């Protein structure tokens, strides 16, 4: 990845506070503005700051067709507190929430702003993402079937390449949904889900089953990021140790769709910047973007937590459950809540909450270093960060 | 087999995209819409005392949530305007009209709406206008059909129809969005599509990496160099990977269940998605040999849909290692 750079993080930055909505399938009692504001007010309260303390706002939102609002940052400017301040919109498909966190962090790390508000949202009930992702351009074959139809063949490839047993996908779903049952903000609460019930659920896009698929959610997330002085003044902030983003084209000959090069490059840059040589030993908890259950073992390999073809063994051994060597998605993850645009920022926020000791019933005991991860498009965009309880 | 490219005209075709988005309004906008259904206009008071019409949910100065409703008149003054000589579908009026910013009496901000003035000569900044309500308001900004000139010389308004009986507050609004595109294929893709219209597959080979792309792209996405060498490809190959689509969805054109498979033509280095039929869905395998089942020749157009589906050839499966790099 010549030219991509693995430069240092610049000035220190820290997460001062996070906020999110209670994710549900339909929040018909609020507008998009009201939904965002709910998450923002909670983040500001968690950070102990007011809107006047915010120097700049970064908004993340998935593709406009998902909600049919062109440039929502225009109509949301006052609701998200951007009046008289710099406002940026970030746009990297499903990874956008993560990229929003990275952009907000970089504005602080660059020394441009003292406190930056990152906010991301999706109101899926106003639209139909499956329809928006399946539009058939002229001259082509109309076989596309939403995100599940896109990813299912690559999941099949993973299973074939790794030799993973078929129950791994169900195991991830059970773990994440049971974790979600401990998270009051999660959309789905399924404490009684079992491997058997997952395997008995309908196969939507063979080999992906209904219970191995993320829900469709309305929700928002906000994060307040401050500079070193703000972090020092805060009670137990989450210090940002490293950030990374990488991209690759959707299709090219020889593209590895199971273990994409851009994800591996982003992870390598992230670990180098954080000074981490053995991620499995040094990361205490990971919030990884897993919209379909099989992506947990796939991303464990892509991120370097396991060798290629071995990620499923960590799952099977229970190492990714709370109490395992690397708890993955103690919040319940994308499998329990999927307000698309916000899902990446939720991974980033949840990783921060863990090292801040504010994760409530899904807190991983003693978590001091955490990963937040997001991917988007056809596995093209990657954004990730490492946060820690200790100052880097 | 290098063939120079002729400067073909790119193919293009309409692409119409439309959806009825369902907006949840929240308390402030919901109250505004509910009042409109009763032929009343309500703004909201801001932190500085100004009355915003239409209402804003959050204060433009302090960003605080706003909640104090203020009734205003359905008459006001044009603050600025422009003339719409050729209205387009979906606009408030289908004959020439004025777009105007109207500051209603009692409001401090202006509302954008249509003014049915008949002629631009009758439009001016400072003119007095009044709302013309529709007969059956539903809780929408379109309950105001348009504004019309008011003040001295205006026709007296007829008696107002009684407000509708609806009692539930308005909480939702459907906003249809329709986008009419003209989708164009590239020069290289157009050559490929015209070959499909003759029952042939053509791709292009990259001069740097030697990979063959179908459809051809005119440039190699890995090397960034132009691709000019055209390659004729057979209409058979293998399934690299696939899924079985069981889920129905809005806009779907093939009835589920169906097999959506990546088909790698012999001699190509990139697979494309197509449909596999001719065997039970659970008999489709990675590495399975398939061939194109073309539609009847008289139905061929410039589209990959000329191939109705791919079907098994019955040849032995390709070994995994032979297509591993295409996954
Ligand atoms: Zn090349």
């Amino acid at each position: 990845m010549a030219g991509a750079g693995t430069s240092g993080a610049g000035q220190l930055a820290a997460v001062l506070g996070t906020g999110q909505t209670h994710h549900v399938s339909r929040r018909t009692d609020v507008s998009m503005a009201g939904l965002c504001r709910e998450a923002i007010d909670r983040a500001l309260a968690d950070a102990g700051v007011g809107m006047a303390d915010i120097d700049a706002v970064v908004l993340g939102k998935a593709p406009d067709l998902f909600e049919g609002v062109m440039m929502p940052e225009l109509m949301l400017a006052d609701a998200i507190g951007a009046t008289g301040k710099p406002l940026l919109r970030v746009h990297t498909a499903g990874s956008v929430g993560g990229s929003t966190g990275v952009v907000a962090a970089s504005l602080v790390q660059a020394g441009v702003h003292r406190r930056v508000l990152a906010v991301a949202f999706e109101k899926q009930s106003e639209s139909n993402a499956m329809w928006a992702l399946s539009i058939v351009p002229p001259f082509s074959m109309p076989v596309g079937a939403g995100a599940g139809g896109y990813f299912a063949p690559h999941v099949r490839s993973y299973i074939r390449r790794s030799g993973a047993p078929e129950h791994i996908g169900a195991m991830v779903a059970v773990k994440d949904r049971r974790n979600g049952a401990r998270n009051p903000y999660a959309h789905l609460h399924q404490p009684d889900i079992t491997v058997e019930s997952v395997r008995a659920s309908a196969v939507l896009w063979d080999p992906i089953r209904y219970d191995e698929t993320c829900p469709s959610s309305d929700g928002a997330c906000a994060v307040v990021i401050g500079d070193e002085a703000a972090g020092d003044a805060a009670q137990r902030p989450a210090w940002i140790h490293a950030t990374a983003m990488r991209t690759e084209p959707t299709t090219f000959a020889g593209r590895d769709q199971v273990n994409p090069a851009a994800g591996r490059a982003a992870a390598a840059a992230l670990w180098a910047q954080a000074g981490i040589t053995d991620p499995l030993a040094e990361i205490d908890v990971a919030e990884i973007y897993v919209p379909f259950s099989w992506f947990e073992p796939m991303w464990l390999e892509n991120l370097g937590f396991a060798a290629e073809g071995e990620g499923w063994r960590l799952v099977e051994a229970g190492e990714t459950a709370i109490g395992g060597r690397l708890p993955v998605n103690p919040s319940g993850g994308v499998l329990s809540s999927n307000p698309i645009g916000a899902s990446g920022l939720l991974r980033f926020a949840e990783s921060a909450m863990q090292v801040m000791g504010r994760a409530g019933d899904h807190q991983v005991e003693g978590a001091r270093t955490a990963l937040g991860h997001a991917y988007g498009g056809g596995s093209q965009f990657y954004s990730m960060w490492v946060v820690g309880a200790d100052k880097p | 087999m290098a063939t120079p490219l002729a400067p073909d005209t790119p193919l293009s075709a309409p692409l119409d995209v439309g959806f009825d988005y369902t907006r949840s309004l929240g308390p402030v906008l919901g109250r505004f819409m509910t009042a409109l259904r009763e032929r009343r206009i309500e703004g909201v008071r801001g932190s500085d005392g100004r009355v915003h019409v239409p209402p804003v949910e959050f204060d433009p100065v302090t960003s605080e949530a706003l909640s104090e409703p203020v009734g205003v008149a359905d008459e006001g003054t044009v603050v600025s305007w422009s003339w719409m000589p050729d209205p387009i579908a979906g606009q408030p009026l289908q004959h020439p009209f004025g777009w105007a910013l109207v500051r209603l009496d009692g409001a401090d901000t202006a509302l954008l709406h249509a003014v049915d003035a008949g002629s631009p000569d009758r439009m001016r900044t400072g003119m007095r206008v009044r709302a013309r309500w529709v007969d059956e308001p539903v809780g929408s900004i379109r309950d105001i059909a348009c504004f019309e000139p008011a003040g001295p010389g205006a026709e007296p308004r007829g008696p107002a129809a009684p407000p509708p009986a609806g009692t539930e507050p308005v909480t939702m609004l459907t906003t249809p969005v329709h986008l009419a595109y003209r989708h164009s294929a590239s020069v290289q893709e157009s050559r490929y599509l015209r070959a499909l219209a003759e029952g042939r597959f053509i791709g292009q080979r990259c001069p740097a990496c030697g990979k063959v792309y179908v459809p051809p792209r005119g440039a190699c996405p890995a090397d960034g160099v132009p691709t000019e060498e055209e390659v004729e490809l057979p209409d058979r190959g293998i399934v690299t990977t696939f899924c079985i689509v069981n889920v129905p969805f809005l806009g779907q054109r093939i009835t589920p269940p169906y097999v959506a498979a990546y088909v790698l033509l012999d001699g190509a280095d990139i697979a494309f998605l197509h449909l596999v039929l001719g065997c039970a869905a659970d008999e489709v395998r990675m590495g399975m040999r398939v061939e194109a089942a073309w539609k009847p020749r008289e139905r061929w157009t410039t589209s990959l849909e000329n191939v109705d589906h791919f079907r098994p050839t019955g040849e032995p499966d390709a070994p995994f290692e032979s297509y591993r790099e295409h996954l």
Side-chain angles (χ1 to χ4, degrees):
Chain A
M1 275 278 144
T6 53
S7 56
Q11 302 189 30
L12 290 183
V15 175
L16 307 178
T18 68
Q20 60 185 289
T21 56
H22 289 93
H23 313 297
V24 294
S25 55
R26 294 171 64 77
R27 273 299 300 274
T28 52
D29 61 316
V30 289
S31 63
M32 290 181 205
L35 188 75
C36 287
R37 189 52 178 267
E38 231 174 77
I40 291 169
D41 285 344
R42 287 173 185 159
L44 293 174
D46 192 44
V49 300
M51 203 70 102
D53 300 312
I54 299 297
D55 302 318
V57 182
V58 185
L59 177 72
K61 163 74 185 63
D64 291 346
L65 205 56
F66 282 13
E67 275 140 348
V69 179
M70 285 288 287
M71 298 193 287
E73 62 276 21
L74 298 186
M75 72 155 188
L76 292 174
D78 46 8
I80 63 180
T83 305
K85 297 170 187 174
L87 168 61
L88 283 175
R89 187 215 174 161
V90 181
H91 201 327
T92 57
S95 74
V96 70
S99 309
T100 303
V102 171
V103 169
S106 65
L107 289 172
V108 175
Q109 290 165 331
V112 178
H113 298 297
R114 283 202 62 196
R115 285 186 203 84
V116 175
L117 173 67
V119 55
F121 77 100
E122 199 78 38
K123 214 157 174 304
Q124 289 216 57
S125 67
E126 300 203 0
S127 63
N128 185 325
M130 181 96 183
W131 163 81
L133 287 169
S134 307
I135 286 166
V136 183
F139 316 124
S140 58
M141 190 63 199
V143 282
Y150 182 85
F151 291 118
H154 307 308
V155 165
R156 183 182 304 281
S157 298
Y158 172 74
I159 294 169
R160 175 68 178 81
R161 270 166 56 162
S162 67
E166 182 247 346
H167 63 266
I168 295 297
M171 285 187 71
V172 173
V174 168
K175 169 186 67 77
D176 281 5
R177 293 279 166 79
R178 288 190 176 188
N179 285 350
R182 302 158 79 146
N183 175 2
Y185 294 102
H187 178 173
L188 299 178
H189 292 101
Q190 301 181 343
D192 302 321
I193 193 170
T194 64
V195 167
E196 292 69 35
S197 69
V198 174
R199 292 173 80 179
S201 68
V203 182
L204 300 186
W205 306 270
D206 189 323
I208 298 176
R209 294 186 176 85
Y210 178 78
D211 277 346
E212 296 168 332
T213 303
C214 54
S216 176
S217 313
D218 285 358
C221 180
V223 172
V224 180
I225 296 172
D227 64 2
E228 183 173 8
D232 285 338
Q235 207 167 16
R236 212 172 160 183
W239 292 98
I240 297 169
H241 289 227
T243 67
M245 293 200 291
R246 290 293 186 278
T247 308
E248 71 183 44
T250 319
T251 62
F252 56 92
R255 180 178 183 214
D256 189 338
Q257 287 262 38
V258 173
N259 193 4
R264 280 182 276 138
L270 185 80
W271 302 138
Q273 195 182 106
I276 287 172
T277 53
D278 181 351
L280 187 59
E282 296 173 67
I283 294 291
D284 300 319
V285 53
E287 283 282 340
I288 301 176
Y289 201 105
V290 178
F292 302 99
S293 60
W294 281 98
F295 274 87
E296 177 170 306
M298 289 165 72
W299 293 147
L300 286 172
E301 297 171 24
N302 192 245
L303 285 161
F305 288 112
E308 183 153 1
E310 304 293 321
W312 63 268
R313 294 182 195 277
L314 285 175
V315 177
E316 188 171 51
E319 299 289 13
T320 60
I322 295 174
R325 285 171 76 190
L326 178 72
V328 174
N329 295 328
S331 68
V334 182
L335 278 175
S336 296
S337 314
N338 190 28
I340 304 173
S343 287
L345 193 58
L346 283 165
R347 307 280 71 71
F348 278 46
E350 288 283 350
S351 65
M353 287 159 61
Q354 288 287 343
V355 301
M356 296 162 96
R358 296 180 197 172
D361 287 344
H362 61 282
Q363 177 70 46
V364 171
E365 284 307 313
R368 298 197 67 77
T369 309
L371 167 75
H373 163 277
Y375 86 101
S379 304
Q380 300 168 255
F381 302 114
Y382 295 83
S383 53
M384 40 193 87
W385 75 10
V386 171
V387 286
D390 300 316
K391 215 164 162 175
Chain B
M1 191 181 74
T3 314
L5 287 178
D8 295 356
T9 312
L11 292 167
S12 67
L15 171 60
D16 288 324
V17 177
F19 187 79
D20 289 350
Y21 291 91
T22 51
R23 309 299 182 199
S24 40
L25 295 167
V28 173
L29 300 177
R31 188 158 45 217
F32 175 63
M33 297 302 178
T34 302
L36 286 174
R37 192 178 57 190
E38 296 163 6
R39 299 196 186 89
R40 294 184 296 108
I41 302 174
E42 265 192 3
V44 71
R45 192 177 308 281
S47 64
D48 52 6
R50 286 187 300 162
V51 175
H52 299 271
V53 179
V56 292
E57 296 185 75
F58 296 91
D59 191 77
V61 180
T62 65
S63 289
E64 290 309 307
L66 297 178
S67 61
E68 186 192 335
V70 181
V72 299
D74 68 352
E75 277 192 44
T77 304
V78 169
V79 174
S80 188
W81 61 278
S82 69
W83 191 248
M84 187 75 202
D86 297 304
I88 58 176
Q91 292 190 330
L93 294 168
Q94 289 305 301
H95 54 265
F97 67 92
W99 280 121
L101 287 168
V102 178
R103 188 167 57 230
L104 296 170
D105 297 343
D108 293 289
T109 62
L111 172 83
L112 177 69
H113 218 299
V115 176
D116 191 7
S119 146
D121 299 338
R122 294 190 63 200
M123 292 291 301
R124 62 181 174 79
T125 296
M127 76 186 285
R128 294 287 296 169
V129 292
R130 67 189 181 203
R132 181 192 297 162
W133 295 93
V134 299
D135 289 338
E136 293 178 5
V138 294
S140 157
I141 189 64
R142 289 180 176 247
D143 291 344
I144 301 172
C146 61
F147 283 81
E148 57 193 17
E155 289 176 31
R157 282 207 258 197
T167 50
E168 290 298 308
V170 178
T171 59
M172 302 289 293
L173 189 68
T174 300
T175 57
V177 171
H178 186 242
L179 304 165
Y181 294 103
R182 185 122 198 120
H183 173 94
S184 295
S186 68
V187 169
Q188 294 79 12
E189 190 188 357
S190 297
R191 285 180 59 81
Y192 148 87
L193 292 169
R194 289 188 169 107
L196 279 174
E198 299 167 359
R200 298 184 297 123
F201 277 102
I202 60 170
Q204 277 185 336
R205 190 189 312 278
C206 169
C209 64
K211 304 280 191 194
V212 172
Y213 279 83
V214 58
R217 302 185 188 185
C220 174
D223 297 296
V225 297
T227 51
E228 287 166 2
E229 183 192 348
E230 215 160 85
V231 181
E232 184 108 15
L233 293 161
D235 63 354
R236 55 178 52 211
I238 64 164
V239 169
T240 57
T241 187
F242 65 97
C243 75
I244 306 168
V245 178
N246 292 316
V247 58
F249 59 88
L250 179 70
Q252 195 171 35
R253 296 227 211 125
I254 303 172
T255 306
Y258 63 88
V259 175
Y262 281 98
V263 173
L264 182 68
L265 298 180
D266 294 341
D269 289 291
I270 193 154
F272 54 77
L273 270 177
H274 216 288
L275 182 66
V276 171
L277 297 174
C279 66
D282 61 7
E283 287 171 16
V284 176
R285 302 172 301 279
M286 294 174 70
M288 189 171 78
R289 297 282 305 163
V290 291
E291 63 186 2
W294 295 86
K295 286 179 179 164
R297 183 178 292 264
E298 60 272 18
R299 287 171 56 201
W300 288 357
T301 62
T302 51
S303 169
L304 186 53
E305 288 189 86
N306 291 354
V307 175
D308 185 74
H309 60 273
F310 281 82
R311 65 187 168 217
T313 66
E315 299 163 275
D317 288 0
F320 180 65
E321 287 306 318
S322 72
Y323 61 88
R324 186 188 169 95
E325 70 163 293
H326 297 291
L327 299 177

